[in-house]
mmCIF file of all heavy atoms in Angstrom:
data_model
loop_
_atom_site.group_PDB
_atom_site.id
_atom_site.type_symbol
_atom_site.label_atom_id
_atom_site.label_comp_id
_atom_site.label_asym_id
_atom_site.label_seq_id
_atom_site.Cartn_x
_atom_site.Cartn_y
_atom_site.Cartn_z
ATOM 1 N N ALA A 22 7.901 -2.347 30.720
ATOM 2 C CA ALA A 22 7.355 -1.064 31.022
ATOM 3 C C ALA A 22 7.285 -0.817 32.532
ATOM 4 O O ALA A 22 7.762 0.248 33.075
ATOM 5 C CB ALA A 22 5.953 -0.866 30.434
ATOM 6 N N ARG A 23 6.953 -1.885 33.261
ATOM 7 C CA ARG A 23 6.946 -1.889 34.655
ATOM 8 C C ARG A 23 8.319 -1.643 35.249
ATOM 9 O O ARG A 23 8.539 -0.875 36.167
ATOM 10 C CB ARG A 23 6.211 -3.088 35.281
ATOM 11 C CG ARG A 23 5.802 -2.823 36.657
ATOM 12 C CD ARG A 23 4.959 -4.031 36.973
ATOM 13 N NE ARG A 23 4.117 -3.772 38.176
ATOM 14 C CZ ARG A 23 3.332 -4.548 38.722
ATOM 15 N NH1 ARG A 23 3.099 -5.698 38.185
ATOM 16 N NH2 ARG A 23 2.580 -4.121 39.812
ATOM 17 N N ASN A 25 10.897 -0.453 33.770
ATOM 18 C CA ASN A 25 11.459 0.827 33.362
ATOM 19 C C ASN A 25 10.849 1.976 34.088
ATOM 20 O O ASN A 25 11.175 3.147 33.867
ATOM 21 C CB ASN A 25 11.390 1.049 31.849
ATOM 22 C CG ASN A 25 12.217 0.128 31.061
ATOM 23 O OD1 ASN A 25 13.329 -0.271 31.652
ATOM 24 N ND2 ASN A 25 11.959 -0.135 29.891
ATOM 25 N N GLY A 26 9.820 1.710 34.969
ATOM 26 C CA GLY A 26 9.218 2.760 35.728
ATOM 27 C C GLY A 26 8.107 3.607 34.964
ATOM 28 O O GLY A 26 7.854 4.697 35.348
ATOM 29 N N LEU A 27 7.488 2.962 33.917
ATOM 30 C CA LEU A 27 6.479 3.718 33.158
ATOM 31 C C LEU A 27 5.213 3.719 34.184
ATOM 32 O O LEU A 27 4.623 2.634 34.345
ATOM 33 C CB LEU A 27 6.168 3.003 31.842
ATOM 34 C CG LEU A 27 5.113 3.641 31.035
ATOM 35 C CD1 LEU A 27 5.535 4.953 30.524
ATOM 36 C CD2 LEU A 27 4.825 2.772 29.839
ATOM 37 N N THR A 28 4.842 4.860 34.668
ATOM 38 C CA THR A 28 3.768 4.965 35.621
ATOM 39 C C THR A 28 2.561 5.745 35.039
ATOM 40 O O THR A 28 1.505 5.671 35.583
ATOM 41 C CB THR A 28 4.194 5.737 36.909
ATOM 42 O OG1 THR A 28 4.652 7.005 36.553
ATOM 43 C CG2 THR A 28 5.235 4.908 37.620
ATOM 44 N N ARG A 29 2.808 6.382 33.888
ATOM 45 C CA ARG A 29 1.655 7.219 33.241
ATOM 46 C C ARG A 29 1.565 6.807 31.810
ATOM 47 O O ARG A 29 2.535 6.528 31.141
ATOM 48 C CB ARG A 29 1.962 8.708 33.421
ATOM 49 C CG ARG A 29 1.970 9.141 34.805
ATOM 50 C CD ARG A 29 1.919 10.688 34.920
ATOM 51 N NE ARG A 29 1.659 11.155 36.245
ATOM 52 C CZ ARG A 29 0.486 11.380 36.806
ATOM 53 N NH1 ARG A 29 -0.544 11.155 36.100
ATOM 54 N NH2 ARG A 29 0.398 11.758 38.078
ATOM 55 N N CYS A 30 0.358 6.908 31.300
ATOM 56 C CA CYS A 30 0.120 6.532 29.851
ATOM 57 C C CYS A 30 0.797 7.681 29.050
ATOM 58 O O CYS A 30 0.680 8.797 29.260
ATOM 59 C CB CYS A 30 -1.367 6.650 29.657
ATOM 60 S SG CYS A 30 -1.798 6.452 27.847
ATOM 61 N N PRO A 31 1.610 7.271 27.999
ATOM 62 C CA PRO A 31 2.300 8.278 27.218
ATOM 63 C C PRO A 31 1.377 9.154 26.397
ATOM 64 O O PRO A 31 1.717 10.223 26.043
ATOM 65 C CB PRO A 31 3.103 7.360 26.258
ATOM 66 C CG PRO A 31 3.148 6.042 26.806
ATOM 67 C CD PRO A 31 1.894 5.857 27.708
ATOM 68 N N SER A 32 0.175 8.718 26.160
ATOM 69 C CA SER A 32 -0.780 9.491 25.332
ATOM 70 C C SER A 32 -1.562 10.529 26.114
ATOM 71 O O SER A 32 -1.676 11.627 25.737
ATOM 72 C CB SER A 32 -1.860 8.605 24.676
ATOM 73 O OG SER A 32 -1.167 7.630 23.858
ATOM 74 N N CYS A 33 -2.184 10.071 27.235
ATOM 75 C CA CYS A 33 -3.019 11.036 28.054
ATOM 76 C C CYS A 33 -2.494 11.319 29.399
ATOM 77 O O CYS A 33 -3.196 12.102 30.202
ATOM 78 C CB CYS A 33 -4.417 10.491 28.192
ATOM 79 S SG CYS A 33 -4.483 8.922 29.130
ATOM 80 N N ARG A 34 -1.362 10.774 29.866
ATOM 81 C CA ARG A 34 -0.769 11.008 31.166
ATOM 82 C C ARG A 34 -1.542 10.506 32.344
ATOM 83 O O ARG A 34 -1.344 10.972 33.478
ATOM 84 C CB ARG A 34 -0.453 12.533 31.347
ATOM 85 C CG ARG A 34 0.407 13.207 30.190
ATOM 86 C CD ARG A 34 1.754 12.470 30.014
ATOM 87 N NE ARG A 34 2.553 12.621 31.081
ATOM 88 C CZ ARG A 34 3.561 11.735 31.327
ATOM 89 N NH1 ARG A 34 3.882 10.849 30.565
ATOM 90 N NH2 ARG A 34 4.309 11.985 32.392
ATOM 91 N N THR A 35 -2.464 9.599 32.148
ATOM 92 C CA THR A 35 -3.257 9.014 33.162
ATOM 93 C C THR A 35 -2.317 8.024 33.977
ATOM 94 O O THR A 35 -1.640 7.236 33.334
ATOM 95 C CB THR A 35 -4.448 8.277 32.659
ATOM 96 O OG1 THR A 35 -5.241 9.086 32.009
ATOM 97 C CG2 THR A 35 -5.259 7.543 33.749
ATOM 98 N N PRO A 36 -2.397 7.902 35.299
ATOM 99 C CA PRO A 36 -1.637 6.938 36.015
ATOM 100 C C PRO A 36 -2.070 5.489 35.553
ATOM 101 O O PRO A 36 -3.244 5.116 35.575
ATOM 102 C CB PRO A 36 -1.950 7.186 37.483
ATOM 103 C CG PRO A 36 -2.446 8.586 37.549
ATOM 104 C CD PRO A 36 -3.125 8.811 36.216
ATOM 105 N N LEU A 37 -1.030 4.694 35.232
ATOM 106 C CA LEU A 37 -1.370 3.306 34.769
ATOM 107 C C LEU A 37 -1.592 2.392 36.029
ATOM 108 O O LEU A 37 -0.835 2.448 36.953
ATOM 109 C CB LEU A 37 -0.201 2.777 33.886
ATOM 110 C CG LEU A 37 -0.099 3.445 32.554
ATOM 111 C CD1 LEU A 37 1.197 2.952 31.861
ATOM 112 C CD2 LEU A 37 -1.270 3.190 31.666
ATOM 113 N N ASP A 38 -2.498 1.502 35.877
ATOM 114 C CA ASP A 38 -2.769 0.451 36.912
ATOM 115 C C ASP A 38 -2.325 -0.933 36.384
ATOM 116 O O ASP A 38 -2.924 -1.476 35.434
ATOM 117 C CB ASP A 38 -4.301 0.425 37.201
ATOM 118 C CG ASP A 38 -4.642 -0.539 38.314
ATOM 119 O OD1 ASP A 38 -3.715 -1.081 38.930
ATOM 120 O OD2 ASP A 38 -5.816 -0.649 38.616
ATOM 121 N N TYR A 39 -1.283 -1.450 36.967
ATOM 122 C CA TYR A 39 -0.720 -2.763 36.475
ATOM 123 C C TYR A 39 -1.417 -3.940 37.246
ATOM 124 O O TYR A 39 -1.267 -5.110 36.846
ATOM 125 C CB TYR A 39 0.775 -2.810 36.676
ATOM 126 C CG TYR A 39 1.575 -1.929 35.793
ATOM 127 C CD1 TYR A 39 1.954 -0.671 36.110
ATOM 128 C CD2 TYR A 39 1.883 -2.414 34.460
ATOM 129 C CE1 TYR A 39 2.733 0.127 35.311
ATOM 130 C CE2 TYR A 39 2.519 -1.582 33.595
ATOM 131 C CZ TYR A 39 2.996 -0.339 34.034
ATOM 132 O OH TYR A 39 3.634 0.437 33.171
ATOM 133 N N PRO A 45 -10.502 1.631 32.966
ATOM 134 C CA PRO A 45 -10.046 2.566 32.006
ATOM 135 C C PRO A 45 -8.508 2.930 32.132
ATOM 136 O O PRO A 45 -7.866 3.226 31.123
ATOM 137 C CB PRO A 45 -10.839 3.829 32.388
ATOM 138 C CG PRO A 45 -12.042 3.305 33.048
ATOM 139 C CD PRO A 45 -11.579 2.058 33.791
ATOM 140 N N ASN A 46 -7.882 2.873 33.317
ATOM 141 C CA ASN A 46 -6.488 3.196 33.379
ATOM 142 C C ASN A 46 -5.685 1.934 33.483
ATOM 143 O O ASN A 46 -4.388 2.007 33.804
ATOM 144 C CB ASN A 46 -6.271 4.077 34.599
ATOM 145 C CG ASN A 46 -6.556 3.422 35.903
ATOM 146 O OD1 ASN A 46 -7.420 2.512 35.952
ATOM 147 N ND2 ASN A 46 -5.995 3.840 36.943
ATOM 148 N N SER A 47 -6.127 0.759 33.094
ATOM 149 C CA SER A 47 -5.313 -0.472 33.148
ATOM 150 C C SER A 47 -4.320 -0.418 32.039
ATOM 151 O O SER A 47 -4.467 0.066 30.932
ATOM 152 C CB SER A 47 -6.223 -1.724 32.932
ATOM 153 O OG SER A 47 -7.149 -1.822 33.896
ATOM 154 N N ALA A 48 -3.097 -0.888 32.343
ATOM 155 C CA ALA A 48 -1.967 -0.915 31.370
ATOM 156 C C ALA A 48 -2.258 -2.059 30.346
ATOM 157 O O ALA A 48 -2.556 -3.169 30.738
ATOM 158 C CB ALA A 48 -0.678 -1.192 32.085
ATOM 159 N N GLU A 49 -2.159 -1.631 29.026
ATOM 160 C CA GLU A 49 -2.343 -2.598 28.022
ATOM 161 C C GLU A 49 -1.420 -2.562 26.941
ATOM 162 O O GLU A 49 -0.931 -1.421 26.685
ATOM 163 C CB GLU A 49 -3.774 -2.463 27.304
ATOM 164 C CG GLU A 49 -4.894 -2.869 28.252
ATOM 165 C CD GLU A 49 -6.211 -2.844 27.441
ATOM 166 O OE1 GLU A 49 -6.275 -2.498 26.307
ATOM 167 O OE2 GLU A 49 -7.251 -3.425 28.022
ATOM 168 N N GLN A 68 3.531 -0.890 22.209
ATOM 169 C CA GLN A 68 3.753 0.101 23.263
ATOM 170 C C GLN A 68 2.738 -0.129 24.354
ATOM 171 O O GLN A 68 1.725 -0.809 24.189
ATOM 172 C CB GLN A 68 3.495 1.578 22.652
ATOM 173 C CG GLN A 68 2.149 1.735 22.128
ATOM 174 C CD GLN A 68 1.894 3.080 21.507
ATOM 175 O OE1 GLN A 68 2.640 4.000 21.751
ATOM 176 N NE2 GLN A 68 0.721 3.260 20.838
ATOM 177 N N VAL A 69 3.004 0.419 25.602
ATOM 178 C CA VAL A 69 2.099 0.161 26.747
ATOM 179 C C VAL A 69 1.351 1.509 26.917
ATOM 180 O O VAL A 69 1.980 2.552 27.215
ATOM 181 C CB VAL A 69 2.850 -0.331 27.947
ATOM 182 C CG1 VAL A 69 1.850 -0.415 29.142
ATOM 183 C CG2 VAL A 69 3.469 -1.633 27.714
ATOM 184 N N ILE A 70 0.057 1.435 26.810
ATOM 185 C CA ILE A 70 -0.849 2.655 27.090
ATOM 186 C C ILE A 70 -1.976 2.164 27.922
ATOM 187 O O ILE A 70 -2.141 1.055 28.218
ATOM 188 C CB ILE A 70 -1.298 3.268 25.763
ATOM 189 C CG1 ILE A 70 -2.101 2.232 24.886
ATOM 190 C CG2 ILE A 70 -0.130 3.818 24.979
ATOM 191 C CD1 ILE A 70 -2.672 2.825 23.628
ATOM 192 N N CYS A 71 -2.772 3.192 28.386
ATOM 193 C CA CYS A 71 -3.969 2.797 29.186
ATOM 194 C C CYS A 71 -5.130 2.169 28.289
ATOM 195 O O CYS A 71 -5.105 2.424 27.084
ATOM 196 C CB CYS A 71 -4.465 4.034 29.869
ATOM 197 S SG CYS A 71 -5.260 5.301 28.885
ATOM 198 N N ARG A 72 -5.984 1.555 28.981
ATOM 199 C CA ARG A 72 -7.053 0.842 28.230
ATOM 200 C C ARG A 72 -7.919 1.779 27.399
ATOM 201 O O ARG A 72 -8.363 1.516 26.329
ATOM 202 C CB ARG A 72 -7.887 0.010 29.246
ATOM 203 C CG ARG A 72 -9.054 -0.772 28.570
ATOM 204 C CD ARG A 72 -9.737 -1.583 29.618
ATOM 205 N NE ARG A 72 -10.925 -2.251 29.105
ATOM 206 C CZ ARG A 72 -10.877 -3.407 28.489
ATOM 207 N NH1 ARG A 72 -9.695 -4.086 28.363
ATOM 208 N NH2 ARG A 72 -11.955 -3.981 28.091
ATOM 209 N N CYS A 74 -7.134 4.717 26.054
ATOM 210 C CA CYS A 74 -6.510 5.154 24.772
ATOM 211 C C CYS A 74 -6.412 4.018 23.796
ATOM 212 O O CYS A 74 -6.574 4.281 22.637
ATOM 213 C CB CYS A 74 -5.090 5.681 25.231
ATOM 214 S SG CYS A 74 -5.067 7.182 26.041
#
Side-chain angles (χ1 to χ4, degrees):
R23 198 172 198 176
N25 290 336
L27 182 66
T28 58
R29 295 190 173 270
C30 174
S32 300
C33 66
R34 306 301 298 158
T35 300
L37 291 173
D38 184 5
Y39 289 98
N46 65 332
S47 298
E49 290 192 352
Q68 63 182 346
V69 175
I70 59 177
C71 70
R72 180 176 175 85
C74 288

